[in-house]
Amino acid sequence: MTTNKTFALLGLLVLTACGADPKDPPKTEANVPPGGNTAAISSAGAPASGAKVYPQATKAIDARVGETFNVVLPGNVTTPFEWRFDESDKNVVAMTAHNYTDAPPANCAGCDGYKGTFNFTFTAKADGAAKLHFSYVRAMPAGSPAEKEMTVEVHVTH
Amino acid sequence: MRSFVRKILMTSAVGALFATACHVQVGSAPENAPAGNAPPHAAAPRPAPAPAAPPPAAVAAHPAAAPAAPPPAPGGARAAAVIAVHPTTAAHAVALGTPPHSSIVKPPARRSTAPLVSRHRQATRVASTAEASNLRVLQARYAANEKAAPAPVKTSVQQARAAIAQHHYSFQVGVTEVSHKSLAKITGEPTTAHDPQIVAQNAAARAKKASRTNLIAFDVKKRAAPPARFLNATIARENAGDGKDSSTTGPTTQGTNQNGNGNAGYPSSQFASPSASSFSWRDRITSVKDQGDCGSCWAFAATGVLEAGEILVNNQPTTIDLAEQQLVNCVPVFSPGSENCGGNSATNAYKFLHGGADALESAVPYKSAVASCNSSAGAANLGVDDWGYAGEDPPHPTVDEIKAALIAHGPVSSSVRVTSAFQHYSSGVFDEGDTGSTNHAVVLVGWDDAKGAWHLRNSWSERWGEGGYMWIKYGTNSIGKNAAWISPVRQPPPANPTYNDRYLTLQNDSGEPLDVSVDALTGAGSWVPAAPSASAAAFTYTLAPGTSMDVKRTDNKQFLTAKAARVWAKSHDGKHQWTAFKGADFVIAAAPYSAERRERATFHFGHVQSAEQTADEIFTIGETARKAGDSPKAEAAFQKFADHYASDTRIHDARFWLGYSQYQQKKYSESTMSLYTMVSAAPDGHPDIPFGTYFMAMSLAAQGDCGYAVRNFETVAYGEIGTPPDWIDAAKNNIKHLEADDGSICSNWD
């Protein structure tokens, strides 16, 4: 049952993420300046084109109510692991979409196992502070312990 | 099984040397064998491949019966003893005559298209009026596009039209909105099919086709085994003893789970079969691995395929564990700036392993990260002898082409598009249908047409999916793309043991019940039960006419093994005696020999007759009759040849024509056994094997044994055993024909 719900959620999220050309080469976190970069993600279903992008090293984010921003975490969907968003105060910050973007190396004809990014899109809802907690876990079986964790503090103001 | 074959041959070979009571050294030709090796039938054409579905015939009399005993010689009988050696040994001892198959008559085989046409009709859909209208609008737009298109685009479309005309394709092309874009741009993937390196690789692979490892070719003799009812009598006799050192294996059947762990929800089969509705190697390969947090799926896929090859081809245990880390460390990166935890390809690993070698996991444990390469860690012989893409048009083989590769070579590596949904798969048939670029490498181990799915082995541990496996719908998420097989470097077979004795079989073709006595000189050099003398004790037996027996010691019930023996007998009525070897040694093993199993020698009690005809004369009679269409006469001649000249270089040809002439007479049961004997006894690679297998399949089909027939047709079609192309087509058509049978032909699908 849990798995089915997960599939349904994933399917919904993927659908909402469509729109950009999925074959365009994605940008990497190395291109993302501290504090976010509105041009960083333009690829595969990046849910909020034009939104600020925050890389893995981000510790804190300042956002205004109504603003959409992205947290982009390096990963590899061809391994058993995924980045998962665990919790937040939905009244302050809510996740509106997430997806995965391939990042194949150059001349990758026929290569497999290349890396990518897990992209999470949030919208600041109201004044306040919230913690965004991400964990790097095996997708299956459910309940696998986290291999890595990451927390970002978000401060939302008008 | 081999013992059974040997038994048949022993039985048929015993008449070879009636003229003289002699013993024949192992491996030597009979004294009256022809001096030359050139077969007189050098230009003999093979019959054309006949379509399946001959009219069902009643099963004829059991064909395993020994040839009729020759008529009694005038003036009573005298001892006649023959050692008939293991047929393989004998065959290797002489140069083999090679029939010229280039002259085979190959009229077009009848096509069994009815089922295919039927399916096609079901799939055909009549376009609606709205669709037709839309089509007209599109065609007008494409025509306008073409007028305005630059010259290169026009040229490209014209070339495509020429190809369509040449190949009689049923679709049209025009200048669309993407005609000016590169295929790589449209699809997101470079066109690896036209990569010169891949094209060259496939050309080279095809050139090596005849010599590379093929699992079906490995199994030709086992796969040829007819239904148990053909074999029961002989096997029952062979198993009547204590079974010690018995080479009898009995008939094999489909559906056997190799590890004996029952049906775990996936199909398994002892005999791989491309036309089977379901099949999986899962029970016969290594356990699922875990690549961890490193993009090394390609190394795990390549290693999994190589491990399977080591098991299936080199008889390594399923616990063999090769080092993915060695590939991660040592395979050249895919492109400058990339690293092997960030992607590569299984085929790059095959290129590395072709001429190189993998290491054992114990030598280079997996680290889930790139480390420095220690090329000297590679273990001898753990490499790839050959590899290639499945199908004729990589990287997108058809389902049937992947099945054929799976059967011929074992599990294959494949690319697939992995998504979050894929990551969360737990059970069922995965059919997401994501059309994104492939990004993951896996191993395909089987299929299930009922599910419409491949059986996929992943490298995410047994905690993912169905114990580490997934059922994935044919084609979904591009599964099957880049499917590639390997043939591992062949390990030298283990050395055969050496024996200095043989089992002894007594054969009574005298026409009379006999009381037989035996003293035997064991391999250890002692006589049992006592050294020969006028008053010494002997093992004694009663032997009914027309029977044979594998001699057991009457003191300890073990099969008798001996390097020499004294053998004598008298008829129950006391009128006839066989005493030639009462006072002289009957030599069973003149010298130590090396063999897979201890061989058997047959002492034959028969009537005396002179060799009325030479091998050449008998063979010529058979050839003449065969060419004249006189199948009964051909059968008689080739049967006689097989009975009397089992060590002749033409024996496999004779057995083929014997079986074929029986087939022509609708003596399907006899034909099956004659051809099975031929296929089983002929050495690997013998040019008659494809033809013998084909007509054996025909005979089996005629008797309704369609499972066995299809298995043999598959050997002909997919075994890469030197079958001419027309025969391959005929075999494939016959498979389709039988599979579409409504019950009018087939009564047994075991």
Side-chain angles (χ1 to χ4, degrees):
Chain A
M1 187 62 74
T2 303
T3 304
N4 290 339
K5 286 180 180 175
T6 306
F7 280 147
L9 175 62
L10 286 170
L12 177 62
L13 295 178
V14 168
L15 283 174
T16 57
C18 290
D21 182 358
K23 304 302 184 297
D24 285 347
K27 302 297 186 292
T28 67
E29 59 175 298
N31 297 328
V32 181
N37 182 335
T38 57
I41 291 184
S42 61
S43 62
S49 180
K52 287 182 178 179
V53 173
Y54 296 93
Q56 186 175 12
T58 302
K59 298 294 183 188
I61 294 173
D62 292 322
R64 293 188 176 278
V65 173
E67 181 181 349
T68 295
F69 61 91
N70 298 315
V71 176
V72 177
L73 304 176
N76 191 337
V77 77
T78 77
T79 73
F81 295 94
E82 65 173 356
W83 277 105
R84 192 174 291 171
F85 173 63
D86 293 330
E87 59 183 273
S88 73
D89 183 343
K90 292 180 181 176
N91 294 325
V92 178
V93 178
M95 185 175 78
T96 55
H98 83 171
N99 72 349
Y100 177 82
T101 305
D102 292 323
N107 303 318
C108 187
C111 75
D112 294 313
Y114 50 81
K115 297 175 182 177
T117 55
F118 288 86
N119 313 310
F120 299 88
T121 301
F122 298 92
T123 298
K125 295 285 192 182
D127 284 349
K131 289 186 176 179
L132 306 182
H133 187 252
F134 302 89
S135 54
Y136 189 66
V137 298
R138 281 183 182 272
M140 293 295 286
S144 296
E147 300 278 324
K148 287 184 273 189
E149 293 179 304
M150 172 186 159
T151 300
V152 180
E153 290 194 15
V154 181
H155 300 278
V156 179
T157 57
H158 270 95
Chain B
M1 191 64 63
R2 182 169 293 179
S3 176
F4 158 70
V5 175
R6 183 185 313 154
K7 179 71 70 181
I8 292 289
L9 290 174
M10 296 310 101
T11 304
S12 60
V14 292
L17 295 176
F18 288 114
T20 56
C22 63
H23 53 269
V24 180
Q25 298 299 318
V26 175
S28 64
E31 290 178 357
N32 50 354
N37 291 324
H41 64 301
R46 284 289 175 269
V59 175
H62 196 292
R78 63 184 174 90
V82 172
I83 288 182
V85 300
H86 188 291
T88 303
T89 307
H92 283 304
V94 294
L96 295 167
T98 304
H101 298 291
S102 58
S103 59
I104 289 168
V105 177
K106 293 177 286 192
R110 184 166 64 86
R111 304 282 173 177
S112 306
T113 54
L116 298 178
V117 170
S118 173
R119 287 192 205 109
H120 177 69
R121 283 177 180 160
Q122 288 171 4
T124 302
R125 187 168 60 92
V126 179
S128 67
T129 305
E131 287 172 327
S133 175
N134 290 338
L135 190 59
R136 281 193 295 273
V137 171
L138 275 174
Q139 286 171 336
R141 186 193 303 170
Y142 295 155
N145 288 347
E146 187 165 351
K147 283 183 180 176
V153 173
K154 286 181 179 175
T155 303
S156 176
V157 170
Q158 286 161 2
Q159 287 173 342
R161 286 182 180 136
I164 288 170
Q166 179 185 352
H167 298 290
H168 306 290
Y169 294 146
S170 58
F171 59 90
Q172 294 87 43
V173 294
V175 178
T176 70
E177 273 59 40
V178 297
S179 291
H180 64 287
K181 296 181 180 178
S182 71
L183 199 54
K185 184 73 175 177
I186 300 168
T187 65
E189 297 203 9
T191 54
T192 52
H194 304 297
D195 180 332
Q197 195 173 8
I198 292 176
V199 172
Q201 164 68 32
N202 276 280
R206 280 193 288 275
K208 288 189 67 176
K209 203 171 183 179
S211 62
R212 72 194 181 202
T213 300
N214 182 291
L215 296 172
I216 294 177
F218 275 13
D219 263 356
V220 165
K221 296 179 181 182
K222 247 198 309 188
R223 294 170 64 90
R229 69 171 187 275
F230 288 77
L231 311 174
N232 281 341
T234 300
I235 288 169
R237 183 159 65 83
E238 294 222 351
N239 286 339
D242 60 10
K244 182 183 177 185
D245 206 11
S246 169
S247 59
T248 299
T249 57
T252 47
T253 57
Q254 283 189 290
T256 304
N257 189 312
Q258 289 292 295
N259 290 345
N261 54 0
N263 185 344
Y266 47 89
S268 184
S269 173
Q270 184 165 354
F271 289 113
S273 173
S275 60
S277 60
S278 62
F279 175 78
S280 180
W281 291 110
R282 177 171 174 169
D283 283 345
R284 301 179 66 177
I285 58 179
T286 52
S287 58
V288 173
K289 308 292 176 55
D290 185 0
Q291 67 182 82
D293 186 22
C294 168
S296 54
C297 52
W298 56 274
F300 280 78
T303 305
V305 171
L306 178 57
E307 285 175 341
E310 291 294 335
I311 292 165
L312 299 173
V313 174
N314 288 326
N315 295 315
Q316 297 274 10
T318 55
T319 52
I320 186 174
D321 195 359
L322 303 184
E324 292 82 7
Q325 188 67 44
Q326 182 72 355
L327 303 183
V328 172
N329 294 348
C330 299
V331 173
V333 296
F334 202 91
S335 57
S338 64
E339 50 92 14
N340 278 344
C341 271
N344 208 317
S345 72
T347 51
N348 257 12
Y350 300 152
K351 291 173 190 172
F352 168 78
L353 292 167
H354 182 58
D358 200 354
L360 293 172
E361 177 72 14
S362 56
V364 188
Y366 188 62
K367 303 289 188 190
S368 197
V370 180
S372 59
C373 173
N374 176 10
S375 57
S376 63
N381 294 329
L382 293 177
V384 167
D385 176 57
D386 192 13
W387 72 274
Y389 288 98
E392 297 296 318
D393 189 24
H396 298 289
T398 65
V399 167
D400 284 345
E401 287 173 333
I402 296 173
K403 287 179 179 178
L406 269 165
I407 294 316
H409 304 288
V412 299
S413 56
S414 169
S415 295
V416 65
R417 169 68 178 175
V418 163
T419 61
S420 291
F422 189 106
Q423 276 194 314
H424 288 86
Y425 169 82
S426 61
S427 65
V429 178
F430 184 78
D431 60 350
E432 183 186 23
D434 191 291
T435 56
S437 300
T438 53
N439 56 1
H440 188 45
V442 294
V443 179
L444 297 183
V445 302
W447 69 85
D448 187 343
D449 286 340
K451 291 181 168 68
W454 297 113
H455 205 193
L456 176 156
R457 185 176 103 146
N458 205 349
S459 50
W460 293 351
S461 88
E462 294 178 349
R463 290 171 287 172
W464 176 85
E466 297 183 355
Y469 285 78
M470 166 191 264
W471 287 105
I472 182 168
K473 184 180 175 183
Y474 296 144
T476 198
N477 288 45
S478 300
I479 187 65
K481 185 183 173 190
N482 296 321
W485 53 265
I486 64 105
S487 290
V489 171
R490 295 286 301 275
Q491 308 282 2
N496 286 331
T498 299
Y499 300 96
N500 64 351
D501 54 17
R502 288 188 169 86
Y503 295 116
L504 179 60
T505 296
L506 302 177
Q507 173 79 30
N508 180 5
D509 283 332
S510 69
E512 305 175 76
L514 300 180
D515 294 323
V516 182
S517 299
V518 176
D519 284 327
L521 178 62
T522 68
S526 59
W527 284 91
V528 291
S533 71
S535 58
F539 296 132
T540 57
Y541 313 91
T542 298
L543 200 55
T547 65
S548 65
M549 65 176 295
D550 301 327
V551 177
K552 283 185 174 181
R553 295 172 56 142
T554 54
D555 52 353
N556 64 12
K557 309 298 184 189
Q558 300 295 307
F559 282 111
L560 179 69
T561 59
K563 55 196 298 186
R566 301 290 179 91
V567 184
W568 65 99
K570 64 178 179 182
S571 58
H572 275 350
D573 60 11
K575 293 182 178 176
H576 302 132
Q577 293 191 17
W578 287 257
T579 57
F581 291 96
K582 186 174 184 180
D585 287 353
F586 172 69
V587 177
I588 296 174
Y593 63 96
S594 179
E596 187 178 344
R597 296 177 184 278
R598 180 179 278 108
E599 295 176 347
R600 191 182 307 260
T602 298
F603 190 101
H604 175 79
F605 296 97
H607 295 285
V608 176
Q609 70 170 20
S610 61
E612 296 170 341
Q613 293 164 308
T614 67
D616 282 352
E617 289 169 341
I618 297 173
F619 204 98
T620 300
I621 291 170
E623 283 288 279
T624 303
R626 173 179 78 71
K627 290 171 183 171
D630 188 346
S631 294
K633 189 173 181 181
E635 179 193 4
F638 288 121
Q639 181 71 68
K640 189 172 185 179
F641 187 94
D643 289 347
H644 290 226
Y645 298 102
S647 297
D648 189 276
T649 57
R650 295 161 293 186
I651 184 61
H652 307 302
D653 251 14
R655 289 193 180 116
F656 171 80
W657 290 118
L658 170 61
Y660 181 71
S661 58
Q662 290 165 332
Y663 171 81
Q664 291 290 74
Q665 299 172 75
K666 296 186 169 65
K667 296 162 79 172
Y668 299 122
S669 183
E670 289 90 337
S671 171
T672 297
M673 288 309 299
S674 296
L675 294 168
Y676 174 56
T677 301
M678 177 258 145
V679 169
S680 301
D684 292 343
H686 192 282
D688 280 359
I689 287 178
F691 310 106
T693 306
Y694 186 96
F695 281 102
M696 185 181 163
M698 294 294 295
S699 297
L700 287 163
Q703 295 165 89
D705 288 309
C706 290
Y708 291 87
V710 165
R711 188 185 307 153
N712 281 282
F713 280 132
E714 287 167 352
T715 301
V716 174
Y718 302 102
E720 296 177 2
I721 55 174
T723 312
D726 280 11
W727 291 65
I728 289 176
D729 290 343
K732 288 179 178 176
N733 283 332
N734 288 341
I735 292 169
K736 288 178 186 172
H737 193 97
L738 292 177
E739 287 178 338
D741 176 58
D742 58 1
S744 59
I745 300 172
C746 302
S747 57
N748 176 22
W749 277 99
D750 288 343

